[in-house]
Amino acid sequence: MLILSMIFIAATVYYLTIVPLQSIDLRPPEPTFYTVEKVRRELRDFMDAKFAGKTDAKEFHFSDDLKDLLKHNPDFRYYMIIGDEELSSGKPPIYYDKLHLDKLDAANKEFDNSVLCSYYMKAMDQPGNHGYVQYNFCNKQRYYLEFSGINKVEVPIPDNLWNFYKRMVLGTSVNLLISAVGVIIITATILLFNWRLMNKLAQVAYSFDPKNLNRKLPEKGLPHEVLPLVQAVNEMISRIDETQKQHNFFLSTAAHEMRTPLTVLRTRLEMLDDGPLKDKLINDLRRLIHLVNQLLRLMRIGGAKSLDKEIDLVQCCQRVVRERSMLAENAQVTLQFQPEVESYVIPGDEGLLEVAIANLVDNAVSFSEPHSCVDILLHRDGVLSVRDYGPGIPSDKVQSLFEPFAKFPPNRNGHGLGLAIVKAIASLHSAQVDAENMENGGAQFNIRFHSQFKQNPSQ
């Protein structure tokens, strides 16, 4: 630990003193770009503050620094649209109509529930008249910014190496170096007072045979300070053992399931003679490809995932309904999506969530009678339900529906992996999935989400 701490300090010093010099560029920016960017940054900061509710000012005021600059630019003008509010320097905009952004804005307002976004930005570099235009309409957030009339620009002050270090290095390195020294002192203290405990724990660890996962680290005779760590390791070993058993079972079952279509494909290739047989081979090959894709999807779900991206379940459901509408129409089934909230945001993987919802919708459509409906409901408490009006689920099959290769009825097309994928995706998102028969016929599948970032009730 002491050696690692010393390496940490050396790496910190190298990172703070040497690395910055390798990519440093002390050349001052081009004056026109520097001036336009300086003005744009102040205007955008004001717009962002308005969107965030940090200010309700009806007028924009430049900083003292920019006031001096704009005194030498009497033709300067600006125009802003922030939501439904307009602010300007008292002069009408130049580029809003000229670039036909007014027409684009009007079109976007008609489709403000669309997932499409419009974005435009351009620096207006004309001799003696520099400016900037930026337009955005996305997720119901609308803003427009233009300014022009800059003909006298500000020359930035050249930087030097010492100023760079004071600004970028010394401002952070002192605290980091103090922290590194503190880490060394704390680590040395812990090692000094727990050296005996570490030796005993090492002896216990050496007694463990990694090839025998049924065995656990012994917990008797250990100091109380170390016992929680050993118990946590034993719990981890139990989970690894269970995961390994499930993994082995899955691989063996998948291999067995794939053997049959491969055998059929090989037999028919040997018998290949005329046209109808080729059609059968194409169907078998399509079935095999579908199976392989599902197996790969399950393996992808089981891998490490970072679920720190915000996903809107309402938008996910809307996309699935649009994509599955043709499938439902061919089956003479109507898809109905009824959210109780305008948005329900959770951390997750957008692609996997849409796969889970699509699998539930496909399953419901396949069991629905012609001229019936499939209802997709998103409740305000985070329960996503897909309900059909088909024959329902036999009571003895409800608990096993989500197991890999479980099919009902057994002669039904497919491989029984669709609902298993739904369960795996739900577990990845800390959600539960279940199925139930409804009193007036049909079945309902539910994914119950718990964690949420934002929930906006429908108006």
Side-chain angles (χ1 to χ4, degrees), residues 52 69 86 95 129 140 198 266 274 306 369 409 454:
L69 170 66
E86 298 183 18
Y95 302 105
N129 183 19
K140 299 183 180 181
M198 294 295 181
R266 183 185 62 186
D274 46 20
S306 177
E369 297 293 335
K454 179 175 56 182

Side-chain angles (χ1 to χ4, degrees), residues 94-109:
I94 297 177
Y95 302 105
Y96 187 62
D97 297 336
K98 185 176 180 180
L99 297 175
H100 303 294
L101 295 176
D102 55 337
K103 298 179 180 179
L104 177 63
D105 205 17
N108 281 327
K109 288 180 181 179

